[in-house]
Each structure stands twice: as C-alpha cells, then as structure tokens.
Amino acid sequence: MQKDDVLLRMEGICKSFPGVKALDDAQLTVRPGTVHALMGENGAGKSTLMKCLFGIYSKDAGTIWFDGKEVNFKSSRDALDNGVAMVHQELNQALKRSVMDNIWLGRYPRIKLGGAKMPFVSDKAEYDMTMEVFKDLNFEKFGININPRTIMSTMPVSRRQMVEIAKAVSFNSKIIVLDEPTSSLTEAEVEVLFSIINMLKARGVGIVYISHKMKEIWRIADDVTVMRDGRWITTRHKTEYGTDDDSFRAEVIRNMCGRELSAAYPPKDNIVHDDPMIVVEGLTAKYNQLRDASFTLHKGEILGVAGLDGSGRTELLETLFGYRTRQSGTIKKFNFGFRAAQGGTPEDYSMEVHDINGTQVGEEISNLSPNSAIKQGFALVTEERRATGIFGILDIRANTVIANLKNYKLGKFPLLSDAKMARDTDRMIEAMHIKTPSQRQQIKNLSGGNQQKVIIARWLIKNSDILIFDEPTRGIDVGAKSEIYKLMNDLAKQGKSIIMISSELVEILRMSDRVLVMCEGRKTGELDISEANQENIMQLATKREEN
C-alpha cells in the first residue's frame, strides 16, 4: 500500500485507564473511497481507538496521520472542523431540540443586517441548509422523509441515526466513523444506509465501520482490521479472510477470539410449562399506538416479540412494565412454589401458592409504575443502554445493586452494608464474565457488552422471575452474544419467564419458544416456534388493519 493511497494512518496508539491498558500499540490504515471494517470482541479497544482519533480521549503514545498531515485533535469539534466525523452507537443528541438544531449545533447561521451578522439565528437559513444536506444524501429518493423542524425525541432511533449521518456529511468529512450503525435499523433501512455509504465511497470518503454483524461486513467492507485485548491483530482485504460469508466469519472469529467459537446459539433444552406466569388481556396504552394486546407468558418460556420499527413492540413491553401509562387492560400474575430437582421436569414443580408481595395465584396486578412492576418480580433490560439502562457516572457496584438496595440495609438504620454489596457485585462479575479492573470502575468506561452484562446482573441479584429484554444483544460481539443466549436459556430452565424483542429474525427464531408479532400497535399474530419462519413472521409484521 503506497503512502499516497492512505487517507488515515494511526500507528503505535496506546491508552491506559486506571487499572487497565485499553490500547497497546494499536494501528489502523484507511484508504480513500473504501469501507474499512474494525472488528473485535467487546473490550477489544475498537471504540477507544476511534475516540482517540476523534479527540474524545487523549492518546498516551503513538501518531495519527490524516490527509498527509500529522494531527492530534484536542476535542470532537476540532476533529469535525478538520474533516473527521463519528456517529456513535449510543446516540448523544439534544432530544428536546429540532432536527436542524441538532445538525447545526454550535454553528448556527445568523441573521445578517447590512452585511453584519446579528446575534440571532436565521431559522430560514437553517431550514434551507438542512434540506440541502438531505438532498445531497438523496434522502427523498430513499424514502427518508424528515422534517427539519421535527423534535428529535418524537422520532424512532433509526431516523435519529440518519440525522447523525447527515450531520457528519454537513461537515464535509473525509473520514466518517460508523459505530454499530445498523443496530437499530430494519432490513429495509440497512439497504438505504448501504446505498448512502456507497455514494460516500464514490466521493472518496473513507468509512470506518464498526460492527459485529458478519454478513453486513462481508457485503459492505473492503478492508478488515481485527483487534484483540487492545492490540492490533491483522489487517487484510476481506477476500483474504474467506471466499464466502461462512469462511469469512470463521476466520474473523478465530482472529477476534484467538480460538474457534462454539455454536452461537445454545441447544433449546428449557422446559415450557403449561402453567401461565402472566396473562395479559386487552392492554391498551393512553399516549401511544398500543391497543388491545392480549397474550399469555408461560413459566420457563422465552417469548419472542417481532415486528418492524414503529410496530409498537417496545411500547408493549414498557406499558407492561409500568413505564408508559395504561388506558385499559388487565395483567394477571401467577406465582408458584418451586420444588425442583437439578434439571427438573414438569413433575418437579409444585402448584403451591406462595405469597410474594401479597400476590395470590391469578391475582390481577396494577403495574402502574416501574416500581410496582419491580415489586411484582418484573425486570426490564432497555433498548438504549446509555440513555435508560446505566448510571454512567456511577461505578459497577452501584449499577449492580441499585434495584435491590433494601436488601443491603443495616437493620433499621439508613445505612447500607458496603461489604455485602461488594460481595454480591464480585459474585456477579465472576458469574457474568464482566471484564473490568475493579468493581469501582465507572460503568461508562466499560464496553457496550460489559455494560449490558452489568444491567442483567442487576436483575439477577433482584431474583426477578419475569425478565423483559429489549434488543438484548444490540451492539454486542459474537462471544458476548453467545454468553447472553446461554444465560437466557439457563434462566428459562430455572423456571424464569422471558420476553425478548429483537430486530434480528434469526435471533427470534433460534431463541424463542413462541413468537408474538406486532404491527401498528396491534398484535397481528402468534406462532409456535415449530411453525414460525422469516416469511410468515414478515407477513404478520406487515399485516395492516383494514379500514
């Protein structure tokens, strides 16, 4: 590779945090007009390397060459002004502001009077500039209709991500980093994204593409770099890893993990009991499209919830959890006393009633707030970890025990047992294989996969018996995915009941015992896993209500 062929070169990059060396002599080389996939397990150092490029972190050692010059960006704004943009996996946007305010934040066009700039924002100029960027990206051609004056919080994550891409392009960036860009996109939206990427490639833009989705990498990437434990392992053209997506996947995983990875999905050996855990009838939300949803969740079952973006999947589970206001409908909870032998059969469970929180068998429960749902044994792992899952400035211990603080009280005193919290957190770190130098590490410094493990550990300590997972493996590497799949299966084998939303139909089909399908806020069908396939799920997911 000639030096003239290189747009970005990072060499010998090192970065340490207290107790851990996140990057150790890492490197990356990106050619203009190419997509360079950056791959590795969670904690491999991919995002840290990009944050060193983008000016979020200050590197400890190494050099960065961009567009023929050595650079050392002091801030993300410095990077943006010099032609380097990054679309983060966890979107960090001003949700109460409009689309165009988010795109031009910090560089608003000002009203001119007699040639002088006044201290007032020109709304018309801001609107016109935003539409020009959308036109440049062919949004209308791709069916992406976004009003620049729309408030960000009213749009789904997929549309907000497109706004971030538009913002990156508005800086005339020569390098754009996309961190897990398809994690919240439907298959149709992924095709739109790929079309935009190919258009940017044709203009000579270099794309750094971070993803764990092997089929996507095989389709879109030119070059692939693999990292492991903060170190550079290899960089090759994608065809040097394999001749098709299967051989490519196997070779990349071998380099990522330093080992052959066993089958990602565990064998389905959980026992689904005839006994219901909850019965939901006519669930209708007050302030969103969810209406008249009814279903039964059985003990030991993994119920998959499928549907397109905006179908009401998340609204269903958030209403069930008491996060959204319910207008009508009932939830009945059934509790059972377990007398289970190791690896038990249905006969090993008794139907004896026990009074958990005063709830009797088949008694209607309110779940009018998350607090009341938690008391009834419900747990929710949300879709957006950073926004609604973690307490970023708190450490791992606080994030692990925060839903169960009453258990750590010292008698009647308003104090908590530090020793007991530390003991339980250490147990979870070991059980969940959480990579961290200490339980006192701020959770925001962990990789996305390790953050997800801490959130799940929070509910395992609480011993919840109904676990709601909204996109549980979003942005997680193949090794961590396999661990979470095994954990979910093990929980079901213990008699826990799981509801799982996933945009990946293969994940739904491989992990679920039944599939509930949503469209436009309604349940449009329910399939036993023996009869479910991608085709009939998609038919139900597009089954609109007839007028």
Side-chain angles (χ1 to χ4, degrees):
M1 188 181 292
Q2 300 297 317
K3 191 170 183 179
D4 292 343
D5 294 333
V6 173
L7 181 59
L8 172 70
R9 187 189 300 276
M10 305 179 73
E11 296 177 330
I13 308 298
C14 297
K15 178 65 181 177
S16 295
F17 298 102
V20 61
K21 191 163 190 176
L23 294 175
D24 185 5
D25 199 29
Q27 64 183 48
L28 179 69
T29 301
V30 181
R31 298 179 291 134
T34 63
V35 174
H36 195 118
L38 184 57
M39 306 192 73
E41 292 187 280
N42 285 322
K46 309 180 297 296
S47 293
T48 302
L49 182 63
M50 291 299 95
K51 287 176 180 178
C52 287
L53 166 66
F54 197 52
I56 296 174
Y57 294 155
S58 176
K59 65 185 187 304
D60 298 334
T63 56
I64 302 174
W65 293 84
F66 171 60
D67 206 17
K69 300 178 294 184
E70 184 175 353
V71 296
N72 187 25
F73 301 129
K74 301 300 183 183
S75 66
S76 56
R77 180 57 190 266
D78 189 16
L80 286 164
D81 288 341
N82 285 278
V84 176
M86 184 172 180
V87 178
H88 298 270
Q89 176 187 349
E90 304 288 345
L91 302 177
N92 189 15
Q93 298 168 317
L95 296 180
K96 299 302 180 184
R97 304 297 299 176
S98 68
V99 167
M100 60 188 191
D101 283 349
N102 274 267
I103 291 177
W104 304 106
L105 186 66
R107 52 195 178 123
Y108 294 126
R110 290 190 286 173
I111 293 174
K112 291 182 180 179
L113 187 63
K117 288 185 177 180
M118 304 298 289
F120 305 107
V121 175
S122 172
D123 182 81
K124 182 180 184 303
E126 189 181 7
Y127 182 91
D128 292 343
M129 289 163 57
T130 304
M131 291 302 295
E132 191 63 32
V133 174
F134 290 172
K135 182 179 178 182
D136 185 44
L137 287 169
N138 286 329
F139 272 9
E140 186 175 353
K141 172 186 172 184
F142 297 130
I144 303 173
N145 299 307
I146 299 175
N147 185 331
R149 293 192 171 91
T150 299
I151 300 302
M152 291 293 287
S153 62
T154 65
M155 299 196 302
V157 176
S158 57
R159 282 294 185 263
R160 286 166 45 202
Q161 196 162 41
M162 290 298 177
V163 172
E164 282 297 290
I165 293 171
K167 180 178 179 178
V169 171
S170 74
F171 278 94
N172 296 314
S173 304
K174 294 182 179 180
I175 286 283
I176 299 178
V177 180
L178 302 177
D179 191 352
E180 295 289 350
T182 65
S183 59
S184 59
L185 303 186
T186 63
E187 290 182 11
E189 289 166 340
V190 169
E191 295 304 318
V192 171
L193 175 65
F194 284 1
S195 297
I196 292 172
I197 288 174
N198 286 326
M199 184 174 65
L200 294 171
K201 278 177 59 178
R203 298 178 183 177
V205 177
I207 307 291
V208 180
Y209 193 97
I210 302 176
S211 179
H212 299 112
K213 298 181 179 181
M214 299 289 182
K215 289 185 181 295
E216 288 182 5
I217 297 295
W218 176 251
R219 278 190 59 193
I220 198 68
D222 299 294
D223 304 318
V224 180
T225 288
V226 176
M227 295 183 66
R228 184 169 72 237
D229 298 328
R231 295 186 176 93
W232 173 85
I233 300 299
T234 184
T235 297
R236 311 178 208 170
H237 191 272
K238 70 176 179 185
T239 55
E240 296 177 37
Y241 287 91
T243 56
D244 56 34
D245 58 354
D246 288 333
S247 57
F248 169 80
R249 179 181 186 276
E251 178 63 9
V252 169
I253 289 175
R254 190 183 66 79
N255 281 276
M256 282 171 54
C257 306
R259 64 189 186 278
E260 299 292 337
L261 189 70
S262 59
Y265 295 96
K268 285 290 294 174
D269 53 359
N270 58 304
I271 299 168
V272 180
H273 301 274
D274 292 334
D275 314 321
M277 183 67 82
I278 59 170
V279 175
V280 178
E281 295 180 345
L283 196 63
T284 299
K286 190 170 185 179
Y287 299 114
N288 63 66
Q289 63 179 337
L290 176 69
R291 58 191 186 278
D292 200 27
S294 301
F295 66 92
T296 298
L297 175 68
H298 294 272
K299 188 166 57 174
E301 180 180 36
I302 299 177
L303 176 65
V305 181
L308 301 177
D309 194 37
S311 63
R313 297 171 304 171
T314 296
E315 289 84 350
L316 169 66
L317 300 194
E318 288 181 346
T319 303
L320 182 64
F321 192 66
Y323 176 71
R324 294 180 182 268
T325 304
R326 188 190 342 155
Q327 179 172 296
S328 60
T330 61
I331 305 167
K332 289 184 178 179
K333 171 92 183 291
F334 294 73
N335 287 313
F336 303 96
F338 291 145
R339 286 202 298 254
Q342 188 72 20
T345 64
E347 290 72 26
D348 295 320
Y349 295 91
S350 77
M351 287 292 292
E352 292 178 356
V353 179
H354 63 178
D355 295 329
I356 296 180
N357 303 309
T359 303
Q360 303 294 325
V361 167
E363 184 179 357
E364 186 175 331
I365 57 176
S366 63
N367 282 18
L368 295 179
S369 69
N371 188 45
S372 65
I374 291 169
K375 288 179 179 178
Q376 294 292 349
F378 286 74
L380 174 63
V381 178
T382 62
E383 178 182 8
E384 295 188 71
R385 282 187 296 273
R386 182 169 296 178
T388 56
I390 65 169
F391 298 87
I393 62 172
L394 299 183
D395 59 24
I396 293 170
R397 182 190 299 179
N399 274 275
T400 302
V401 304
I402 199 160
N404 202 30
L405 291 179
K406 286 185 177 179
N407 264 20
Y408 300 105
K409 285 183 66 176
L410 289 170
K412 296 181 179 179
F413 299 100
L415 301 171
L416 301 175
S417 170
D418 199 60
K420 190 175 179 183
M421 289 190 295
R423 187 167 59 249
D424 280 355
T425 303
D426 276 338
R427 179 167 57 86
M428 285 293 108
I429 288 173
E430 182 178 356
M432 299 290 290
H433 308 292
I434 298 168
K435 293 180 181 178
T436 177
S438 161
Q439 60 175 252
R440 286 303 194 183
Q441 177 82 295
Q442 283 187 323
I443 194 170
K444 68 179 182 181
N445 293 329
L446 299 187
S447 66
N450 284 302
Q451 289 176 358
Q452 189 78 319
K453 290 178 183 179
V454 172
I455 295 170
I456 295 172
R458 175 188 302 164
W459 300 116
L460 296 186
I461 283 182
K462 185 69 176 173
N463 199 27
S464 305
D465 49 14
I466 300 168
L467 297 117
I468 302 170
F469 290 90
D470 194 348
E471 303 285 3
T473 63
R474 178 186 170 196
I476 291 178
D477 68 70
V478 288
K481 274 188 178 183
S482 185
E483 290 180 350
I484 288 178
Y485 292 150
K486 184 178 184 302
L487 173 66
M488 291 171 66
N489 202 53
D490 287 346
L491 290 170
K493 286 163 67 176
Q494 295 170 24
K496 309 284 188 185
S497 299
I498 295 172
I499 307 175
M500 178 188 72
I501 287 178
S502 178
S503 297
E504 298 183 31
L505 287 184
V506 173
E507 187 171 79
I508 288 281
L509 292 168
R510 295 294 297 272
M511 288 301 298
S512 305
D513 299 298
R514 274 186 307 132
V515 181
L516 186 153
V517 188
M518 302 282 295
C519 180
E520 297 181 335
R522 300 177 301 111
K523 171 186 159 185
T524 53
E526 198 173 295
L527 301 166
D528 187 84
I529 200 61
S530 61
E531 59 184 5
N533 56 51
Q534 294 196 29
E535 183 178 347
N536 56 23
I537 289 176
M538 287 306 298
Q539 286 175 347
L540 290 169
T542 55
K543 185 179 179 182
R544 302 183 183 278
E545 189 172 22
E546 296 180 3
N547 293 325

